Amino acid sequence: MSVVVVGAGLAGVACARAVAAAGIPVRVVDRAATVGGRMASSPHDGRPVDMGAAYFTVRDPEFAEVVAEWRSAGLARPWTAELAVLEHGDRSRAPGPMRWAAPAGLRSLVAALAEGLDVELRREVGRVEAGPRVDGEPADVVVLAMPDPQAARVLDPGLAEVALLADRPWRPTVTVAAGYPARAWPALAAAFVNDHPVLTLVADDGARRGDDVPVLVSHTTAEVARRFDADPAAAVPMVVEAVRELLDLTEDPVWTDAHRWRFAAPEHARAEPFHLGENGIALAGDGWGSSRIETAWRSGQLLGREIARRHTH
């Protein structure tokens, strides 16, 4: 039996680890230059800045075991159980579960899980067809671990799985990181920004990284992301000005960076944690469940186990 996983984000890597643990040959391919998917981080001034997901939470007991390993290795740290809420000029608090962060960026967590796996990067998959076949190459199972719209573009239109991916819109966002001369904003880990025309979240990257470097990372509304879809860098002045007003800043950032996520999160959750068809086509990711980092791991882990179970039976 052979398995090909398309997508080297957390779901794809978790799936591949579970398959490999059962002794089944598995290969992971991704068009990007690094693993991580939407747990991406970009280097600035010698340190990583999280440009995708802002943090993760832990509910699933098995995921907690993985997080404990990350923590013991110095890869993950508890960050904050309380975020601020900024709304119409007022600031309140939003207590909740512990949010976790990664000193070396969230991508480092996926990289740690990918160690020892057969991963081929900068590999663009054009078509997955019945068989299943990946660009003409046969496999017993092909896993598409990616947002629905991306999976739909890769799948042959005649496959039944295409219909499963057409039922939900996905929200885009533009993430803007900005490095400042000094920390000049009120203490906050991160803040939900409600009913704002530009922003939905602002995170203090120095606080979540634990090094207090003066970097803020902001996520835009879906409307702003759609407006600047063709040129996300053009959204930077608008975002910087919105952050200035929101946090009463007086200094301009010394550098900025923008990244567009066309498929940041689905509008609606699914009840199923993954899909595995009798035809050998499988689907996984944070779109299978409620959209969280933990959901992505759980989706891939459960799918990998089911692939292994079918192989042994």
Side-chain angles (χ1 to χ4, degrees):
M1 186 179 190
S2 66
V3 178
V4 175
V5 177
V6 185
L10 183 58
V13 169
C15 178
R17 278 182 64 94
V19 171
I24 301 170
V26 57
R27 182 162 55 100
V28 182
V29 299
D30 197 294
R31 65 184 181 182
T34 62
V35 302
R38 281 167 291 155
M39 291 171 69
S41 50
S42 299
H44 289 282
D45 295 334
R47 67 186 292 278
V49 177
D50 283 320
M51 297 295 290
Y55 53 80
F56 65 93
T57 55
V58 182
R59 295 174 175 82
D60 183 90
E62 285 191 281
F63 185 56
E65 294 177 6
V66 175
V67 174
E69 293 178 4
W70 286 337
R71 185 178 188 179
S72 65
L75 296 174
R77 61 186 286 265
W79 175 30
T80 180
E82 183 175 277
L83 299 187
V85 177
L86 304 177
E87 187 171 14
H88 306 303
D90 297 325
R91 177 172 173 172
S92 57
R93 298 181 299 175
M98 176 59 67
R99 279 83 171 185
W100 287 72
L106 291 172
R107 193 193 73 79
S108 68
L109 306 179
V110 185
L113 286 181
E115 290 181 2
L117 294 176
D118 180 3
V119 180
E120 181 183 356
L121 299 171
R122 296 186 175 91
R123 162 71 189 279
E124 181 89 34
V125 170
R127 181 66 71 193
V128 173
E129 302 171 297
R133 303 175 73 87
V134 180
D135 291 334
E137 298 179 12
D140 292 291
V141 177
V142 176
V143 176
L144 296 181
M146 60 188 67
D148 295 356
Q150 292 176 328
R153 286 203 298 260
V154 173
L155 287 171
D156 183 277
L159 291 170
E161 280 71 20
V162 173
L164 297 176
L165 304 173
D167 61 342
R168 296 183 307 164
W170 283 60
R171 295 189 303 273
T173 191
V174 171
T175 302
V176 175
Y180 290 84
R183 303 176 66 82
W185 48 85
L188 81 160
F192 298 118
V193 188
N194 293 343
D195 298 324
H196 194 279
V198 178
L199 304 174
T200 60
L201 179 78
V202 177
D204 185 329
D205 196 66
R208 69 181 168 191
R209 190 65 25 80
D211 58 11
D212 289 334
V213 171
V215 174
L216 293 173
V217 179
S218 305
H219 300 251
T220 72
T221 63
E223 291 73 19
V224 168
R226 293 186 185 105
R227 176 179 169 185
F228 292 98
D229 178 78
D231 185 10
V236 168
M238 174 187 291
V239 172
V240 167
E241 182 59 30
V243 172
R244 179 197 305 276
E245 294 177 359
L246 204 64
L247 300 180
D248 295 323
L249 303 182
T250 57
E251 293 189 283
D252 294 325
V254 295
W255 61 263
T256 58
D257 186 19
H259 188 93
R260 176 200 61 221
W261 300 98
R262 281 196 175 128
F263 311 114
E267 292 281 3
H268 312 295
R270 277 195 180 101
E272 304 86 357
F274 62 82
H275 167 79
L276 177 56
E278 295 297 331
N279 59 0
I281 303 293
L283 305 167
D286 70 323
W288 291 84
S290 56
S291 184
R292 298 186 182 98
I293 284 178
E294 181 176 23
T295 298
W297 178 87
R298 185 171 181 271
S299 175
Q301 174 79 359
L302 292 177
L303 172 58
R305 282 183 181 168
E306 180 60 18
I307 291 171
R309 188 193 69 79
R310 289 194 186 184
H311 171 65
T312 56
H313 289 78

